Amino acid sequence: MTTIAAQPYEYELPEDLQCCALVIIDMQRDFLELGGFGDALGNDVTRLQAIVPTVKQLLEAFRQFNLPIIHTLECHKPDLSDCPPAKLNRGKSSLKIGDAGPMGRILIDGEPGNQIIPELTPLPGEIVLTKPGKGAFCRTDLELQLHRKGITHLLFTGVTTEVCVQTTMREANDRGFECLLIEDATDSYFPEFKTATIEMLRAQGGIIGWTTTADEVISVLSPVLSTKV
Ligand code: C5J
C-alpha cells in the first residue's frame, strides 16, 4: 500500500492511481489579477500569485504520469440566469458580477478575466468544469463524471482555501470521496482563514479529510509511477 505523510495521519493512495485526480480550483485571472472579481471585492490579489509555481509543479507531475486532472472555473452565464440575487447583490464591491471591468465582464463565462491563468492553461483531455457556485458539485455533473472515470481520491489545490476549495472538499467528503488538501498549493486573501481551514478540515481525526504538502505528494508519486511507465 502506498501512503503519503499527511495530517492527521497518513493518506492511503488507491492501488490504481488512475482513481486519483488533481483538482485545481478557480485559478482564474478573476481571482489572481487586478481588475477581476477578487480585486473588485477589495482583496489583495497578489497574495494568491505565490502558489502558482507549486500548483504548476503538481500539474506537470500529474500530466507526466497521465493521471486525471480537473480544473474548475467559477463563472456565470452572460444573462446571469444562474446567478441568484443573493450572490449578485452581496458585498460592497466596486464592480458587481456581470459589470464591465478592465478584463471584460466580471465572473462571466468566456470573458478574458474569467480564463484560467496562462501558466495553468488546461490541455485537451483534462476536465474543465464551469460552476456557478462556490462548491464544484453545486449545479454541475462533477459527481457523475468522477463516478464514470472511477475516481475515488481527490487531491485539492487552488483558491481560495476557505471559500471554493473548502466548500468543494466538504461536498466531496459528503459524497464519499477521499479528500487531501495540498497546503502549499492553496491560498486565501486572509492568511488566518487559510490556517483555520486547514485546522478544521483535519480536526477530529480528519473529519473532512487530510492535509499535506506538494513535496510529499510528488516524492511519493514519482517513484511509484516511474516503475509503471
Ligand atoms: C470566491 C473562490 N472566494 N474561488 N471564490 O469568491 O474561492
Side-chain angles (χ1 to χ4, degrees), residues 18-21 23 68 70 127 137 141-154 156 168 172 175 177:
Q18 286 300 329
C19 301
C20 235
V23 185
I70 300 159
I127 295 175
F137 290 85
D141 67 351
L142 179 59
E143 189 171 7
L144 187 68
Q145 291 202 58
L146 296 176
H147 286 316
R148 279 205 184 122
K149 290 182 184 295
I151 294 169
T152 51
H153 288 58
L154 300 174
F156 286 94
T168 304
R175 288 166 173 79
F177 296 94

Side-chain angles (χ1 to χ4, degrees), residues 25-26 28 31 37 41 74 131 134 159-161 163-165 189:
I25 304 274
D26 301 0
Q28 299 164 246
F31 295 107
F37 184 53
L41 289 168
E74 182 175 346
K131 62 180 181 68
K134 302 302 180 194
V159 299
T160 60
T161 316
V163 185
C164 291
V165 177
Y189 301 121

Side-chain angles (χ1 to χ4, degrees), residues 114-185:
N114 203 243
Q115 310 296 314
I116 290 175
I117 56 166
E119 296 90 325
L120 305 175
T121 300
L123 290 181
E126 297 172 3
I127 295 175
V128 179
L129 185 91
T130 57
K131 62 180 181 68
K134 302 302 180 194
F137 290 85
C138 173
R139 298 170 74 181
T140 72
D141 67 351
L142 179 59
E143 189 171 7
L144 187 68
Q145 291 202 58
L146 296 176
H147 286 316
R148 279 205 184 122
K149 290 182 184 295
I151 294 169
T152 51
H153 288 58
L154 300 174
L155 279 62
F156 286 94
T157 66
V159 299
T160 60
T161 316
E162 78 283 9
V163 185
C164 291
V165 177
Q166 174 172 213
T167 304
T168 304
M169 200 166 158
R170 287 173 180 271
E171 289 178 331
N173 180 58
D174 279 348
R175 288 166 173 79
F177 296 94
E178 303 285 3
C179 300
L180 177 67
L181 177 67
I182 306 176
E183 294 176 28
D184 47 345

Side-chain angles (χ1 to χ4, degrees), residues 22-207:
L22 179 69
V23 185
I24 304 178
I25 304 274
D26 301 0
M27 289 294 283
Q28 299 164 246
R29 299 184 66 201
D30 255 320
F31 295 107
L32 281 95
E33 293 185 18
L34 287 172
F37 184 53
D39 180 37
L41 289 168
N43 299 299
D44 172 11
V45 292
T46 58
R47 265 198 60 80
L48 306 189
Q49 292 162 11
I51 64 165
V52 174
T54 309
V55 178
K56 192 170 163 64
Q57 209 187 350
L58 287 158
L59 178 61
E60 281 168 359
F62 271 67
R63 280 179 179 161
Q64 187 187 348
F65 299 116
N66 254 319
L67 296 180
I69 295 164
I70 300 159
H71 304 259
T72 72
L73 293 107
E74 182 175 346
C75 62
H76 294 280
K77 294 180 180 164
D79 66 2
L80 296 176
S81 57
D82 58 356
C83 186
K87 181 172 183 183
L88 189 59
N89 299 324
R90 191 83 54 79
K92 293 193 169 123
S93 50
S94 53
L95 290 167
K96 279 194 188 311
I97 297 170
D99 286 352
M103 295 190 291
R105 292 180 68 201
I106 297 284
L107 223 59
I108 298 296
D109 196 6
E111 295 288 332
N114 203 243
Q115 310 296 314
I116 290 175
I117 56 166
E119 296 90 325
L120 305 175
T121 300
L123 290 181
E126 297 172 3
I127 295 175
V128 179
L129 185 91
T130 57
K131 62 180 181 68
K134 302 302 180 194
F137 290 85
C138 173
R139 298 170 74 181
T140 72
D141 67 351
L142 179 59
E143 189 171 7
L144 187 68
Q145 291 202 58
L146 296 176
H147 286 316
R148 279 205 184 122
K149 290 182 184 295
I151 294 169
T152 51
H153 288 58
L154 300 174
L155 279 62
F156 286 94
T157 66
V159 299
T160 60
T161 316
E162 78 283 9
V163 185
C164 291
V165 177
Q166 174 172 213
T167 304
T168 304
M169 200 166 158
R170 287 173 180 271
E171 289 178 331
N173 180 58
D174 279 348
R175 288 166 173 79
F177 296 94
E178 303 285 3
C179 300
L180 177 67
L181 177 67
I182 306 176
E183 294 176 28
D184 47 345
T186 180
D187 217 329
S188 166
Y189 301 121
F190 309 93
E192 66 278 22
F193 289 176
K194 173 177 174 177
T195 305
T197 301
I198 289 169
E199 283 174 13
M200 68 178 92
L201 294 174
R202 68 188 187 200
Q204 303 176 75
I207 196 150

